[in-house]
Amino acid sequence: TIVEHLMGEGNRAGSQQNAGAGGAKPSDMQGRVNKVEEMVGRLAGSLTSDKNGILHNMQTLREEVAQAVAGAQKMSSDFDHVDKVLKAQDHRLYKVEQRASLMEGRSDKLKDQLERQDAELRAQIGNAQAGLQAKLDTQAHELAKAHERISQGSS
C-alpha cells in the first residue's frame, strides 16, 4: 500500500541515518514520524483532489447521460407520432384508392351504358328516318298519282 511504501522510504532514510550516526535517536524517530505525517497529509490532499475530480467527472457524465436519455425519449416519441401519422395517411390513401377504383368501375359501366344508349338512339333515329322517308315516298307517289289524275281529268 501507499503507507507501506512511505514507511519503507522512511525506514531507508532512517537506516541511512542510523548507519551514519551509529544508532537510532529519539529526535531522528520524531523527524521520521513528522516526515511520514507530512507525506500522508500530501497523499490525503492528493486523494481528496482526485476524488473531487472523479466525482465532478461522474456528475458531468450523469448529466450528459440524462440529456441523451431525454433526447432519445423525445426522438422515440417523435418517431411514434410520425408512425401514427404515416399509418393514418396510408389508411386514407387506401380509402382514396378504393374510391377511385369504385368510381372507375362506375365510370366504365356508365360509359358502356352510354354507348349502348347511343347505339340504340342512332338505330331508332335511323328507323324513324327510314319510316319517314317511306311515308314521304308514299305521299310523293300518291301526290304524283293525284296530279296525274287531275292532269288527265282536265285534258
Side-chain angles (χ1 to χ4, degrees), residues 2 11 16 22 26 50 52 72 80 105-106 115 124 135 137:
I2 296 174
N11 285 336
Q16 290 172 358
D50 289 349
N52 290 339
D80 288 344
R106 287 180 182 168
E115 287 174 355
Q124 288 175 355
K135 282 183 182 179
D137 289 345

Side-chain angles (χ1 to χ4, degrees), residues 71-130:
Q73 288 172 340
K74 181 170 179 357
M75 288 174 84
S76 176
S77 174
D78 291 346
F79 285 141
D80 288 344
H81 176 72
V82 168
D83 187 48
K84 286 179 185 176
V85 168
L86 286 176
K87 285 180 181 176
Q89 292 295 339
D90 188 45
H91 182 69
R92 288 183 188 139
L93 183 59
Y94 175 74
K95 288 291 190 181
V96 167
E97 287 173 347
Q98 279 185 325
R99 280 190 230 132
S101 177
L102 182 63
M103 296 298 284
E104 184 178 11
R106 287 180 182 168
S107 175
D108 288 345
K109 286 179 184 177
L110 288 173
K111 181 180 175 186
D112 291 344
Q113 185 179 9
L114 184 61
E115 287 174 355
R116 279 192 310 271
Q117 288 176 348
D118 185 52
E120 289 173 8
L121 187 58
R122 286 181 189 271
Q124 288 175 355
I125 290 172
N127 290 339
Q129 282 178 338

